[in-house]
Amino acid sequence: METISPARRVLRTLRWPLVTAIGPIAFGSTYFVTHHALPPDAPLWGSAIRALPAGLVLLLIARRLPRGAWWWRSLVLGTLNMGVFFCLVYVAAQLLPASVAASLMSLSPLVIAGAAWLMIGERPTIRIAFGAIVGAAGVLLIVGTASGALDGWGIAASIASMVLSSIGAVLTKRWRDETPVLTVTAWQLVVGGIELTAAAVLVEGAPPQLTAAEALAFAYVSLIATALGFVCWFAGFRHLRAGTVGVIGLLNPVTGVALGVAVGGETLTALQLLGVVLVLASIALVNTQPRARDGGAGYASGHDELSGDHREIMGRPRALPRPLVRRGDAPRVGARHGVHPARGAAARRRPRGDEDA
């Protein structure tokens, strides 16, 4: 049996969690950039400019259009994960205080885990459920006590955006095939970008005039925070449990707070610091692999949470079980040694004296 060094085992375990973490970290950076560098009076156009260029750039890299079922799948995923999601987030941001909206979104790991259980039969483990609860508590400490006017439509929009995006993320996992993640992400962003552009024209009219600084900020938000971010985010859903990805997504508010402290000159209270620690602890908890009982490679019962494929753990195909041979059965000469079956049968019928001759 092939042995794996502890360092290599840790790298294999952390590879996809680290890649996935790029997504929410990139998403979290948009708060700071949007607040300090983008025009505040055209949120729908801002969402459209964020999504459509990102999708077109990825499409140029992928150089592939949808085929077969991927035409309608791209429409569904692009609407859930990009188009309707960004619109509902915009409505929630207009009607709810930021602390209330962030408090509601902190429940997304539990919603994602529940959607994965119902839609793809991926039952959440106790570790993931506990990690999601601890992470949600951390987010509540980060954003502070939710206060302010509670608008019913705003709460409905926030919950709907969370549920629909969770369903869309789980569908990307359910419909995964040999199509690269980058290609699927490109199709979704193009669909969502077209929908957002249509909504922006109807609601906000002509696009805003951008300065050079605003154009550079949009380039970062579109190419880094959206294109790269969503590719890494959907790669996580392909290789990790959905509940695990949901907990990693709590890095989103942590990144926003960290940038506010590091760049914006904001201060971090003791409760916010405790919240950051809880979020990081929840992420570490859900990405800790239980050791196998047999003291082997450190994976529980041969299950790989990273990919579900034994070959990706060991770097070689799973050994096929040997056929059971009952006592007294004749050996399968033809199958094991390349002898013609008829000749093998004839050889078994010959008297022992002929074999010794």
Side-chain angles (χ1 to χ4, degrees), residues 49 52 194 303:
I49 297 174
L52 188 55
I194 293 174
H303 174 75

Side-chain angles (χ1 to χ4, degrees), residues 86-258:
F86 282 142
C87 287
L88 290 175
V89 168
Y90 160 60
V91 172
Q94 293 292 322
L95 300 178
L96 293 177
S99 59
V100 176
S103 299
L104 292 173
M105 292 303 292
S106 68
L107 300 176
S108 59
L110 294 174
V111 176
I112 291 175
W117 190 1
L118 294 175
M119 297 172 61
I120 60 177
E122 189 179 275
R123 186 171 184 175
T125 63
I126 297 178
R127 182 187 300 268
I128 291 177
F130 183 71
I133 294 173
V134 171
V139 172
L140 294 178
L141 291 178
I142 292 173
V143 301
T145 304
S147 59
L150 299 180
D151 185 273
W153 287 109
I155 293 177
S158 182
I159 294 176
S161 67
M162 177 174 54
V163 172
L164 293 179
S165 63
S166 299
I167 294 174
V170 174
L171 283 177
T172 61
K173 188 176 183 69
R174 178 175 181 175
W175 291 338
R176 65 181 181 178
D177 54 15
E178 74 283 355
T179 307
V181 174
L182 185 146
T183 304
V184 176
T185 306
W187 297 338
Q188 296 182 57
L189 284 170
V190 170
V191 170
I194 293 174
E195 293 174 345
L196 289 167
T197 301
V201 170
L202 293 175
V203 177
E204 298 175 353
Q209 298 295 323
L210 302 178
T211 65
E214 290 171 343
L216 288 175
F218 266 122
Y220 169 80
V221 170
S222 181
L223 300 179
I224 304 300
T226 301
L228 176 63
F230 273 107
V231 168
C232 295
W233 180 246
F234 291 136
F237 278 98
R238 180 165 294 196
H239 294 278
L240 299 173
R241 287 180 177 269
T244 301
V245 178
V247 175
I248 295 176
L250 295 178
L251 285 172
N252 190 327
V254 171
T255 302
V257 171

Side-chain angles (χ1 to χ4, degrees), residues 328-345:
D329 286 353
R332 299 180 61 187
V333 179
R336 297 293 300 274
H337 301 285
V339 181
H340 192 278
R343 296 178 181 177

